[in-house]
Amino acid sequence: MFESIRKHSKIAMLVMFLLIIPSFVLVGIDSQYFSGSSPVVARVDGQDITQAEWDNAHRVESDRLRAQQPGIDGALLDSPQARYATLERMVRDRVLQSAANKFHLQPSNARLASALQEIPEIAALRRPDGSLDAEAYRKLVATQGLTPEGFESRMRYDLAVNQVLGAVVNTSFATPALAEVTLSPLFQQREIRVAHFKPGEYASKVQVTEAEIETYYKAHAEQFREPERADVQYVVLDLDAVRSGISVNEDELKTYYKENAAQFGDKEERRASHILIAAAKDAPAEQRAAAKSRADELLAQLRKAPDAFADVARKNSQDTGSASQGGDLGFFARGAMVKPFEDAAFGLEKNEISKVIESDFGYHIIKLTDIKPARIPSFEDKRADIEDQLRQQQSQRKFAEIAETFTNMVYEQSDSLSPVADKLKLKLHTATGVTRELSAQDQGVLANAKLRAALFSRDSVESKRNTEAIEVGPSQLASARITRYTPARILSFEEAHDKAKALLVARKSQEAARDEGQTKLAQWSKNPESSGKALSATVVVSRQEPNNQPRALVEKVLSEDPAHLPRWVSVDLGTQGYAVALITHIVEAPPPAEAIAAQRNEQYVQWLTKVEAFAYYEWLKQRFKAQIKVPRPVIDPADTVG
């Protein structure tokens, strides 16, 4: 058939043309068919955000997070919730950008320059004359994958959008009196007496029949479900495993020592003092000549009285950092000083004074005060360190090669992990009772969500094949397989009998405690004196100091209207039972210390600022008609871990 089509290709193309074109005429052609445009997922101020833009932005964000946290689980980054969060950030950026444009909040060049200077890493690139080291600046922004122009464009954007919310954030304030009125209920204290009705006190009185136990079992079958479990084998390839198989011979060690001996020891260091007569390199010739003349005068003075160097430096040096120390600069190695200064200092004998040395900072007179000679340890002293370095270097180079072998073998020989373990000399690990869901007790590579998901994939469960090689950490691959699988099931009544009985007794005990508490509440409300010794001694509770009382009870006590005290309240504490409390009165809290009051006021302003900023942003979303056209993903409880 295909051979016939090849022989009559022109006729076949004509027939296809006649069949396809009428179908377009009848049903129409989607505008995206030829344009290749991507579906719109959001719109802000009439501007669309497409699916392609969303995908690209999320990919960039994921790559950034992976670079910052190499061990992060990729499944978390690719989840619907993470992707939707990226879209929300895109919408927020578009809203703030639209506001900056419409409100004419673009920063001036002077404001941009000021903001750049406020960044410590950039400020440090300033030369003594105030100019910026352009090459160092280019290298600095390149670490973020940007050119200086791109970096400054992003800074302009950040400054612009920050001004949008800055109008709200920077003007939020609250007086101490307002903060006190608002926050005082949070720190209020109340005096109570409590009676606790605990289920355990009623358990011995509860009687249950076999029929009741069976009825409870049938009504709550899911409580007796055993999760699917598996016994597994797994192997791990990491740098430690590779390094253990690497041996380094003596010749390699000695060669490495000879070639790198200098790096094992301490470099020569020199201690010097100097006198600086400052003159910027771009200063007028007359100014530099005057500085040179002054340095020459001081040098002539020192030639006559070398021991007076420290006093002359204190009185005349224009290096404010060292002048007070008699010009002392401490010890330094090569590379720490500008080259003319370094060349001079490392060419002097101890206690020798140099001639006048010119640098970009001006004119120096240097006195060498001490020398620490270079020290190179012996081969035997560094042998263990060298061996460790070589093994580490070789293991890193060899890991990529072995990783490819590992990946291929677990796939090609998918019915067993023994071949790859034997070939690469890896330990074959085992684990029993592994479940699909992660728990706090999980450790090691089996605590990796991606590996666990692959382990319980349909192919792995049904065919008991090896999982693919999965990256479970930096330079760490793992593969696992199920050796024995037990599907999820509901325990039979006989197997679940004791658990069902215990749960039923606990429920009835809880009900008995609640019934008793409600009865006593009704009785004591009518006749407070009848509570007798059932209530505890008076305790003072607050949100900060619950005084060993259940949180639900404390919240109930503090939420009651203080105008109706004393007052009886009760709280169902679930498995903890039932509590009845008598609120007697409010305890006036002592005024906070000045520092605490200031801290509370600051916290209140922060809360108020966040609320106002959020409200303003919501208004901006309406102002610029921000719409997200894809539904927010719903978190499936079955997908949660733990």
Side-chain angles (χ1 to χ4, degrees):
M1 174 180 174
F2 292 109
E3 184 63 29
S4 176
I5 291 176
R6 279 194 292 270
K7 290 180 179 179
H8 304 90
S9 58
K10 291 185 178 181
I11 297 175
M13 289 176 63
L14 177 61
V15 171
M16 292 174 66
F17 181 81
L18 293 175
L19 290 174
I20 293 172
I21 292 301
S23 67
F24 283 151
V25 173
L26 291 173
V27 302
I29 303 177
D30 193 316
S31 62
Q32 296 177 6
Y33 185 87
F34 291 113
S35 67
S37 61
S38 178
V40 174
V41 295
R43 180 174 289 121
V44 177
D45 198 24
Q47 300 298 313
D48 293 338
I49 298 175
T50 66
Q51 179 74 48
E53 290 174 316
W54 181 17
D55 292 341
N56 183 62
H58 186 69
R59 183 169 56 256
V60 170
E61 178 68 7
S62 298
D63 290 344
R64 182 184 67 82
L65 291 173
R66 286 189 178 96
Q68 291 179 347
Q69 306 173 53
I72 194 171
D73 183 4
L76 296 177
L77 298 178
D78 295 332
S79 68
Q81 291 76 24
R83 289 181 53 78
Y84 197 82
T86 298
L87 180 58
E88 288 184 313
R89 283 192 293 272
M90 294 178 70
V91 169
R92 182 179 185 276
D93 289 345
R94 293 285 183 93
V95 168
L96 296 179
Q97 182 65 59
S98 295
N101 292 336
K102 292 292 174 64
F103 301 157
H104 306 291
L105 298 177
Q106 298 302 323
S108 64
N109 291 337
R111 177 68 186 94
L112 174 63
S114 175
L116 290 172
Q117 187 61 28
E118 291 170 4
I119 300 174
E121 292 82 0
I122 294 179
L125 302 180
R126 290 286 178 189
R127 298 189 180 100
D129 62 359
S131 63
L132 181 68
D133 186 336
E135 184 59 30
Y137 175 54
R138 183 178 298 278
K139 290 179 180 178
L140 177 64
V141 299
T143 61
Q144 300 184 38
L146 297 170
T147 62
E149 294 77 13
F151 178 75
E152 289 163 15
S153 175
R154 192 173 73 176
M155 279 291 296
R156 284 186 186 276
Y157 167 79
D158 290 342
L159 289 171
V161 298
N162 285 342
Q163 288 184 82
V164 176
L165 293 180
V168 174
V169 172
N170 297 330
T171 58
S172 293
F173 74 97
T175 64
L178 177 59
E180 177 63 24
V181 169
T182 306
L183 296 178
S184 59
L186 293 176
F187 301 99
Q188 193 178 88
Q189 299 176 332
R190 295 193 178 185
E191 193 176 85
I192 63 173
R193 298 178 65 197
V194 188
H196 288 283
F197 301 88
K198 299 179 180 179
E201 297 172 355
Y202 299 87
S204 61
K205 303 174 185 178
V206 173
Q207 301 295 325
V208 293
T209 65
E210 287 298 310
E212 287 177 315
I213 297 173
E214 186 170 2
T215 299
Y216 181 88
Y217 165 80
K218 292 178 179 179
H220 304 87
E222 285 300 318
Q223 292 184 351
F224 309 102
R225 178 179 291 279
E226 282 270 301
E228 59 185 327
R229 297 181 183 277
D231 296 344
V232 304
Q233 291 179 334
Y234 64 97
V235 289
V236 181
L237 176 68
D238 55 19
L239 284 177
D240 288 338
V242 175
R243 187 165 49 237
S244 65
I246 292 176
S247 59
V248 184
N249 62 50
E250 197 71 9
D251 289 340
E252 289 179 298
L253 296 176
K254 291 180 178 178
T255 299
Y256 188 86
Y257 172 79
K258 291 177 182 178
E259 293 176 351
N260 300 275
Q263 76 176 23
F264 298 128
D266 298 323
K267 295 180 179 179
E268 178 186 348
E269 292 186 346
R270 297 202 163 197
R271 185 173 188 172
S273 298
H274 84 139
I275 297 169
L276 171 67
I277 304 302
K281 68 175 183 178
D282 56 355
E286 297 81 2
Q287 183 178 335
R288 290 189 66 84
K292 173 70 164 55
S293 177
R294 177 58 178 157
D296 287 336
E297 291 175 6
L298 294 175
L299 178 60
Q301 180 181 339
L302 290 170
R303 294 296 188 207
K304 297 176 182 178
D307 294 339
F309 192 97
D311 289 335
V312 174
R314 289 189 188 95
K315 294 175 183 177
N316 298 279
S317 179
Q318 294 172 350
D319 178 2
T320 56
S322 67
S324 61
Q325 307 299 319
D328 183 30
L329 296 170
F331 281 100
F332 53 88
R334 285 191 178 275
M337 300 294 182
V338 292
K339 194 171 190 313
F341 189 103
E342 176 185 291
D343 290 344
F346 278 84
L348 296 173
E349 299 293 333
K350 186 174 180 180
N351 294 322
E352 184 181 359
I353 296 175
S354 73
K355 63 181 181 180
V356 173
I357 305 299
E358 182 180 2
S359 78
D360 290 347
F361 300 102
Y363 297 91
H364 309 260
I365 303 170
I366 306 169
K367 180 179 180 180
L368 187 67
T369 57
D370 204 354
I371 299 175
K372 282 184 181 178
R375 188 189 69 84
I376 299 178
S378 68
F379 171 73
E380 290 303 324
D381 289 339
K382 300 301 296 183
R383 187 186 187 287
D385 292 339
I386 295 172
E387 183 175 6
D388 186 63
Q389 285 187 30
L390 287 178
R391 285 161 63 94
Q392 180 69 14
Q393 291 174 7
Q394 291 182 27
S395 64
Q396 288 175 337
R397 288 195 296 267
K398 195 172 182 181
F399 180 82
E401 174 190 337
I402 296 180
E404 184 175 358
T405 301
F406 180 89
T407 300
N408 291 337
M409 287 192 69
V410 298
Y411 175 76
E412 294 168 357
Q413 302 183 49
S414 60
D415 58 346
S416 175
L417 290 172
S418 295
V420 71
D422 293 341
K423 181 177 180 60
L424 301 181
K425 296 181 173 56
L426 303 176
K427 182 178 179 180
L428 188 60
H429 302 270
T430 61
T432 59
V434 178
T435 60
R436 181 184 294 268
E437 302 299 332
L438 292 169
S439 70
Q441 288 72 41
D442 290 319
Q443 295 180 347
V445 299
L446 289 180
N448 181 274
K450 190 173 182 181
L451 179 62
R452 189 73 70 92
L455 185 60
F456 281 90
S457 66
R458 177 177 297 179
D459 187 52
S460 179
V461 170
E462 294 180 355
S463 305
K464 295 185 173 56
R465 296 185 181 278
N466 303 337
T467 67
E468 63 179 336
I470 293 174
E471 185 176 5
V472 293
S475 299
Q476 188 178 48
L477 296 174
S479 177
R481 64 183 299 269
I482 292 175
T483 56
R484 181 173 178 271
Y485 176 76
T486 303
R489 69 187 184 96
I490 294 177
L491 298 175
S492 67
F493 176 65
E494 289 73 20
E495 293 173 311
H497 178 274
D498 292 344
K499 181 179 179 181
K501 181 179 180 180
L503 290 173
L504 179 58
V505 169
R507 170 172 289 194
K508 285 184 172 292
S509 299
Q510 184 178 325
E511 292 171 353
R514 183 179 65 244
D515 292 343
E516 179 72 8
Q518 291 175 343
T519 299
K520 292 299 184 183
L521 175 63
Q523 177 184 335
W524 296 341
S525 297
K526 293 179 181 178
N527 182 15
E529 299 298 327
S530 64
S531 61
K533 297 181 179 180
L535 297 175
S536 69
T538 299
V539 295
V540 176
V541 297
S542 68
R543 289 181 173 86
Q544 290 69 44
E545 295 292 339
N547 210 341
N548 297 321
Q549 299 302 318
R551 179 61 62 180
L553 175 62
V554 173
E555 289 295 334
K556 178 67 175 176
V557 165
L558 292 169
S559 65
E560 291 297 312
D561 188 347
H564 299 91
L565 301 185
R567 184 177 181 85
W568 290 93
V569 296
S570 64
V571 179
D572 189 341
L573 301 174
T575 58
Q576 292 181 291
Y578 200 81
V580 176
L582 174 62
I583 311 171
T584 55
H585 63 274
I586 294 173
V587 178
E588 292 297 333
E594 184 176 347
I596 298 298
Q599 186 180 18
R600 290 181 183 177
N601 185 70
E602 182 180 352
Q603 181 66 69
Y604 177 70
V605 172
Q606 290 177 4
W607 290 339
L608 183 63
T609 299
K610 288 181 180 179
V611 170
E612 290 181 344
F614 178 77
Y616 183 56
Y617 173 63
E618 289 298 311
W619 178 81
L620 289 175
K621 285 170 62 178
Q622 297 179 15
R623 166 73 172 75
F624 296 106
K625 298 181 174 57
Q627 296 176 294
I628 294 181
K629 297 180 173 294
V630 294
R632 180 184 297 275
V634 178
I635 299 177
D636 186 348
D639 293 337
T640 59
V641 177

